């Protein structure tokens, strides 16, 4: 594969169960979805960055800042299905799905995934991971965790890992982040794969890939910052943007 074009697609919708309207909550003068879009642009490794949504409110907000939006069906259950519909309108070989609530994603980390894809463009699926930082995270069902093989493949995903007797390094468990990469053909094929038991029982997209025995490559991010799924996480994000040195610098660049 010679001409590699990697597009970033940011899926977002207003009808969140736990935090309705969250893409447009204002943080530091910008709606959340615009923070995510600007951070993807700061990566510099994408052929284009687009928002995929079914809501005109999001369309209008993003276009106000000069961003590109692709309107998609309201019927999608999973974000990956929305990304796949949008990707059919793009000229690219690969897609990185940057979830619209990943407001603290670091551009350098996104570049890690870009470089992983460029190093092995014939792969099918990639997923960002980050270290477990404290034992309480093993029981937190809001955090999806995974087991990593010695070769860097994701073997299993779940929300509760308290049944494992892990040492203080938490090996070989990592946090799964809402940043997924796909070869375009694999993205379009994903929605055609039969939904699997583990996927539906725990609402974890990645389990469909694993249960169909397709390699899922882990891409290490330095830190697993929270996304915004509820009011508690929104308060956490606002505090991190005020106190974390790296996040303060990325925010500064985003607001230029």
């Amino acid at each position: 594969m010679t001409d590699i074009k990697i597009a970033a697609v940011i899926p977002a919708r207003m009808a969140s169960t736990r935090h309705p309207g969250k893409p447009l909550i204002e943080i530091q003068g910008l709606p959340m979805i615009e923070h995510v879009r600007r951070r993807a642009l700061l990566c510099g490794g994408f052929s284009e960055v687009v928002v995929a949504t079914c809501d005109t409110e999001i369309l209008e907000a993003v276009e106000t800042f000069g961003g590109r939006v692709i309107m998609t069906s309201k019927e999608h259950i999973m974000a990956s299905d929305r990304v796949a519909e949008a990707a059919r309108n793009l000229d690219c070989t690969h897609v990185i799905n940057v979830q619209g609530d990943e407001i603290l994603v670091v551009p350098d980390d996104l570049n890690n995934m870009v470089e992983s894809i460029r190093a092995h463009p014939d792969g099918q699926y990639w997923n960002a991971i980050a270290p477990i930082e404290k034992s309480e995270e093993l029981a937190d069902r809001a955090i999806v965790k995974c087991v990593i093989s010695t070769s860097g493949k994701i073997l299993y995903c779940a929300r509760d890992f308290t049944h494992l007797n892990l040492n203080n390094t938490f090996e070989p468990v990592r946090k799964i982040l809402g940043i997924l990469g796909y070869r375009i053909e694999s993205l379009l094929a994903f929605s055609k794969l039969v939904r699997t038991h583990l996927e539906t029982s725990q609402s974890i997209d990645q389990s469909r890939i694993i249960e169909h025995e397709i390699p899922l490559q882990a891409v290490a991010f330095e830190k697993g910052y929270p996304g915004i799924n509820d009011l508690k996480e929104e308060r956490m994000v606002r505090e991190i943007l005020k106190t974390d040195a790296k996040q303060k610098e990325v925010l500064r660049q985003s607001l230029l």
Side-chain angles (χ1 to χ4, degrees), residues 221-237:
F221 280 21
E222 182 177 344
K223 184 179 176 66
Y225 290 103
I228 294 181
N229 294 291
D230 54 34
L231 287 170
K232 177 184 175 182
E233 289 178 336
E234 180 183 334
R235 289 191 289 269
M236 290 172 57
V237 164

Side-chain angles (χ1 to χ4, degrees), residues 79-113:
S80 53
D81 295 326
R82 191 176 309 284
V83 172
E85 181 184 347
R88 291 186 177 93
N89 297 283
L90 302 177
D91 176 21
C92 62
T93 58
H94 298 76
V95 173
I96 294 180
N97 170 358
V98 184
Q99 297 281 15
D101 52 21
E102 292 286 337
I103 182 173
L104 299 181
V105 65
V106 175
D108 287 347
D109 281 338
L110 285 177
N111 194 56
N112 289 346
M113 182 164 283

Side-chain angles (χ1 to χ4, degrees), residues 187-202:
L187 171 60
L188 298 179
F190 179 78
S191 62
K192 298 176 184 177
L193 295 174
V194 176
R195 295 188 189 277
T196 57
H197 178 71
L198 289 179
E199 175 198 7
T200 55
S201 65
Q202 299 198 53

Side-chain angles (χ1 to χ4, degrees), residues 27-181:
I27 297 177
Q28 296 286 331
L30 293 175
M32 179 172 70
I33 189 64
E34 180 61 14
H35 279 280
V36 179
R37 191 183 74 86
R38 292 188 182 196
R39 285 170 178 245
L41 289 170
L42 285 172
C43 168
F46 297 119
S47 57
E48 56 184 322
V49 175
V50 302
V51 172
T53 188
C54 58
D55 297 300
T56 56
E57 300 99 316
I58 295 174
L59 167 75
E60 292 168 357
V62 173
E63 288 187 341
T64 295
F65 295 101
R68 181 184 176 191
V69 180
I70 295 176
M71 295 299 290
T72 59
S73 169
K74 291 181 177 289
E75 304 303 316
H76 295 310
I77 299 173
M78 310 298 277
S80 53
D81 295 326
R82 191 176 309 284
V83 172
E85 181 184 347
R88 291 186 177 93
N89 297 283
L90 302 177
D91 176 21
C92 62
T93 58
H94 298 76
V95 173
I96 294 180
N97 170 358
V98 184
Q99 297 281 15
D101 52 21
E102 292 286 337
I103 182 173
L104 299 181
V105 65
V106 175
D108 287 347
D109 281 338
L110 285 177
N111 194 56
N112 289 346
M113 182 164 283
V114 168
E115 291 306 313
S116 181
I117 291 173
R118 289 191 174 279
H120 302 283
D122 292 330
Q124 295 190 65
Y125 299 99
W126 293 259
N127 205 125
I129 60 166
I132 299 289
E133 297 178 13
K134 50 189 178 181
S135 59
E136 291 83 357
E137 292 176 330
L138 296 174
D140 188 342
R141 294 186 62 82
I143 300 172
V144 177
K145 277 78 66 175
C146 66
V147 173
I148 303 297
S149 75
T150 55
S151 64
K153 299 295 189 298
I154 297 174
L155 300 176
Y156 171 69
C157 299
R159 294 183 179 275
D160 188 343
F161 272 87
T162 53
H163 63 286
L164 295 181
N165 184 21
L166 300 173
N167 57 29
N168 290 332
T169 64
F170 305 117
E171 292 294 337
V173 177
R174 301 287 191 278
K175 285 187 278 193
I176 283 275
L177 306 182
I179 316 290
L180 297 94

